[in-house]
Amino acid sequence: MTQAPTEQLEELKELVRKIKSYVEAIGLLHWDLRTGAPRKGVDIRSQTIGMLTTECFKLQVSPQMGELLEYFADPGIVEGLSDTDRRLIEECRTEYERNRSVPADKIKEYSILAAQSESYWEEAKANNDFAGFEPYLTKIVAFKQEFIEYWGVKDTRYDTLLDMYEPELTVAKLDDVFGRLKKRLVPLLERIQASPHQPKHDFLHKDYDVKQQEAFGLFLLKEMGYDFEAGRLDESVHPFATGLNPGDVRITTHYIPNDVLSAIFSSLHEGGHALYEQNISQDLAGTLLAEGTSMGIHESQSRLWENMIGRSKPFWQCYYNDLQKHFPEQLKDVTMEQFYLAVNRVENSLIRIEADELTYNLHIIIRYEIEKMLFNEGLEVSKLPEVWNEKYQAYLGLTPPSNSQGVLQDVHWSGGDFGYFASYSLGNMYAAQILATLRKEMPEFDQYIARGELLPIKEWLTDKIYVYGKSRTPSELIEAITGEELNPDYLADYLEQKYTEIYKL
Ligand code: ZN
Ligand code: ZN
């Protein structure tokens, strides 16, 4: 008989709590940098982040961790453990194996650079200055190329990066899924463009008071069940959500005076991310499992709330009156039906975060192809604006008039998040697939929304997804909920059905 491994398990959990404390502190420093930290403090702050990240990293690959993982490598010992404990051990092992060959100084140097680079990106974007940003981005890409060697090259170099955000996702699988999606979305887009029924939308661009926008956004967040005692709403250049712990999940938004939709949908989007993090089981708090299981599943939750619920007709049947009360002048001659159509207008555009549900996926496919070129085909950073503009012309028929509206528009690359963009389209696909099951299991889905009863939906998602945090993998989750693996046809079906009605195709 082996002894119950209580002592070792406690030791591992204590070590993990220490790691999580660093992660939380670093998360808070990042949040602060992006929500109004003084400009002159950026360099020193970046170094602080770099120092803490290095300490955290050292714990993850420490000899103590190594010994504990070796102890738990014995199948006889893990046999008696709970599923959650076993998952925790696996999670520690994945991080340990991935990172132990990366030298700690490299991590430090890189995390300082990435934190700085994010702030310089903001400046470069504001000043349309790709040349000023290029040296930072070049260094970031070089670091990532080096890290790929340490982490281990999978089927291709870019596969290594994809796997970090979506475990087991490969270039081969994405090429297939994106290929199938493109085959159905491109013809749909052509039919939409040829339709004589183009929604009016000029009223969306009147002057919409920012204070009223904020009030309406706060109202919607409360309606969907975002817990303000476990979070807060701030402003930042790029809206984001950050889960520091399940009791502190913060979101940001961005108000544009002549665009009433931007803040509404970014609040619903980030609110969706936040509901996920706020409703992870308390049992997982303080462990590495107390977070979303993958970026793709995370994105499915933001998309489900933003698009499948927030852009649905029942949603505006319920909430359009409230919106009109916030903007009586601007919307006095606009009917609910007109507003609903405008909210779902499809248009080829330059900016990803402003894109509609359909063309959004093309924005992602462009980034996916460019990242593949960067990491698998040796594309140089200096060539990025040129390649970017060519692809926008090819896929969306538009050439950006400036790099600010082109290659500089997204924050991701500045922070080294290559491989991340695919998550957004994965999120759309997962969301549509989950929605199909949700509708089956909740026949009153539309009626609930139309009555403004969003909490039953939040509860369903909590039971099926949120509580599990990272204790189920993306494929386990999606198969347990829907009975099949990722299938892009659900998204194509959903979009075809929706736009056939809207554009009378
Ligand atoms: Zn418009
Ligand atoms: Zn998101």
Side-chain angles (χ1 to χ4, degrees):
M1 277 294 279
T2 37
Q3 243 190 338
T6 332
E7 204 182 297
Q8 285 81 358
L9 197 58
E10 260 325 299
E11 192 184 336
L12 182 71
K13 287 183 176 174
E14 186 59 24
L15 182 56
V16 165
R17 274 193 286 272
K18 213 189 265 184
I19 291 170
K20 280 297 275 188
S21 304
Y22 277 107
V23 172
E24 179 166 341
I26 294 162
L28 186 57
L29 291 176
H30 267 293
W31 172 85
D32 178 66
L33 263 188
R34 292 172 66 185
T35 53
R39 172 74 192 78
K40 287 183 178 170
V42 167
D43 282 346
I44 292 179
R45 173 63 65 80
S46 302
Q47 285 171 32
T48 307
I49 290 174
M51 290 296 240
L52 293 179
T53 306
T54 312
E55 290 310 305
C56 180
F57 173 80
K58 283 183 187 160
L59 291 176
Q60 283 176 323
V61 296
S62 60
Q64 187 192 6
M65 181 63 90
E67 279 161 29
L68 285 164
L69 290 175
E70 201 173 314
Y71 171 78
F72 285 111
D74 181 345
I77 286 171
V78 282
E79 205 176 15
L81 298 180
S82 71
D83 275 356
T84 311
D85 288 340
R86 258 183 283 174
R87 267 292 148 79
L88 177 64
I89 294 166
E90 270 173 47
E91 189 60 25
C92 290
R93 195 181 301 285
T94 307
E95 289 299 314
Y96 181 80
E97 295 296 340
R98 180 185 282 152
N99 289 322
R100 68 177 166 161
S101 49
V102 186
D105 340 344
K106 283 280 170 200
I107 294 288
K108 183 170 158 193
E109 219 183 307
Y110 172 76
S111 43
I112 293 172
L113 173 68
Q116 276 174 339
S117 162
E118 233 174 274
S119 303
Y120 290 119
W121 160 77
E122 268 186 31
E123 237 171 75
K125 184 183 171 185
N127 302 322
N128 187 30
D129 180 17
F130 182 79
F133 181 55
E134 193 191 311
Y136 292 96
L137 192 56
T138 305
K139 277 190 227 164
I140 296 263
V141 171
F143 262 112
K144 283 278 151 163
Q145 290 283 24
E146 214 181 326
F147 286 162
I148 289 172
E149 294 293 332
Y150 291 124
W151 289 326
V153 178
K154 297 200 180 272
D155 293 350
T156 74
R157 302 182 68 84
Y158 187 50
D159 278 272
T160 303
L161 299 180
L162 287 176
D163 183 73
M164 309 206 50
Y165 301 103
E166 199 67 17
E168 291 153 28
L169 183 67
T170 61
V171 165
K173 198 161 162 188
L174 262 189
D175 281 348
D176 170 56
V177 166
F178 278 160
R180 287 160 65 192
L181 199 58
K182 253 197 304 199
K183 219 185 259 169
R184 290 186 61 185
L185 298 195
V186 172
L188 177 60
L189 182 59
E190 283 164 5
R191 287 165 66 215
I192 289 171
Q193 284 168 330
S195 165
H197 305 281
Q198 298 294 328
K200 233 170 85 97
H201 60 101
D202 52 331
F203 51 82
L204 300 175
H205 304 292
K206 291 182 180 169
D207 194 19
Y208 285 88
D209 179 64
V210 163
K211 278 274 158 259
Q212 286 299 314
Q213 290 196 37
E214 188 184 352
F216 187 69
L218 286 169
F219 164 70
L220 286 184
L221 285 165
K222 282 180 197 142
E223 287 288 295
M224 68 193 280
Y226 176 78
D227 180 358
F228 277 92
E229 287 179 16
R232 52 180 283 158
L233 175 68
D234 292 270
E235 265 193 83
S236 66
V237 179
H238 244 60
F240 67 95
T242 187
L244 299 171
N245 67 57
D248 188 351
V249 183
R250 304 178 183 203
I251 54 179
T252 69
T253 189
H254 183 58
Y255 303 104
I256 305 176
N258 65 354
D259 180 359
V260 68
L261 298 187
S262 175
I264 291 175
F265 289 109
S266 78
S267 298
L268 290 171
H269 180 99
E270 303 309 335
H273 282 303
L275 286 190
Y276 191 176
E277 297 272 330
Q278 284 185 334
N279 292 289
I280 290 172
S281 164
Q282 280 299 332
D283 300 346
L284 302 176
T287 77
L288 299 177
L289 305 176
E291 52 185 73
T293 188
S294 72
M295 291 306 148
I297 296 291
H298 232 303
E299 244 355 90
S300 78
Q301 294 316 296
S302 53
R303 303 285 152 161
L304 199 104
W305 284 98
E306 177 191 0
N307 294 331
M308 277 87 181
I309 296 171
R311 287 180 208 269
S312 71
K313 195 185 260 182
F315 187 84
W316 290 106
Q317 281 168 342
C318 177
Y319 293 111
Y320 186 59
N321 260 334
D322 294 295
L323 184 66
Q324 269 181 322
K325 276 183 208 147
H326 285 80
F327 300 106
E329 256 317 293
Q330 294 87 334
L331 295 173
K332 69 170 183 286
D333 300 323
V334 181
T335 65
M336 186 283 291
E337 181 72 24
Q338 286 173 315
F339 186 80
Y340 164 71
L341 294 176
V343 157
N344 284 295
R345 187 169 154 268
V346 172
E347 185 188 32
N348 289 5
S349 66
L350 291 169
I351 307 295
R352 175 185 60 87
I353 59 167
E354 311 285 338
D356 57 79
E357 278 182 87
L358 172 55
T359 58
Y360 193 96
N361 299 290
L362 299 176
H363 289 263
I364 296 308
I365 292 171
I366 290 172
R367 286 156 178 77
Y368 167 69
E369 291 179 354
I370 293 178
E371 290 186 352
K372 254 198 316 187
M373 290 168 78
L374 265 180
F375 288 93
N376 288 352
E377 294 156 34
L379 175 69
E380 282 170 39
V381 168
S382 61
K383 294 275 185 331
L384 280 175
E386 197 183 315
V387 174
W388 182 281
N389 294 352
E390 280 167 13
K391 290 212 179 270
Y392 265 78
Q393 190 58 50
Y395 279 91
L396 290 157
L398 299 167
T399 296
S402 71
N403 287 326
S404 297
Q405 288 167 275
V407 70
L408 286 175
Q409 68 182 268
D410 298 307
V411 64
H412 306 62
W413 290 349
S414 73
D417 289 330
F418 295 95
Y420 187 113
F421 280 118
S423 322
Y424 294 124
S425 270
L426 281 178
N428 289 334
M429 292 185 270
Y430 285 138
Q433 193 167 335
I434 292 166
L435 178 72
T437 303
L438 174 53
R439 281 184 170 286
K440 249 184 261 159
E441 293 188 12
M442 194 184 279
E444 275 204 284
F445 179 75
D446 284 334
Q447 287 88 325
Y448 276 133
I449 297 176
R451 291 197 298 264
E453 291 173 34
L454 302 180
L455 298 186
I457 299 171
K458 181 193 131 191
E459 272 158 32
W460 190 91
L461 295 167
T462 298
D463 291 347
K464 302 276 180 182
I465 301 168
Y466 302 164
V467 281
Y468 294 110
K470 215 175 186 171
S471 63
R472 288 189 172 181
T473 66
S475 49
E476 282 171 348
L477 261 186
I478 207 74
E479 278 171 40
I481 300 167
T482 71
E484 60 179 306
E485 60 174 0
L486 174 67
N487 178 351
D489 287 336
Y490 285 99
L491 179 63
D493 289 346
Y494 160 83
L495 292 172
E496 275 173 11
Q497 199 188 345
K498 182 168 188 175
Y499 292 120
T500 299
E501 190 220 312
I502 289 172
Y503 283 87
K504 304 190 176 32
L505 301 177

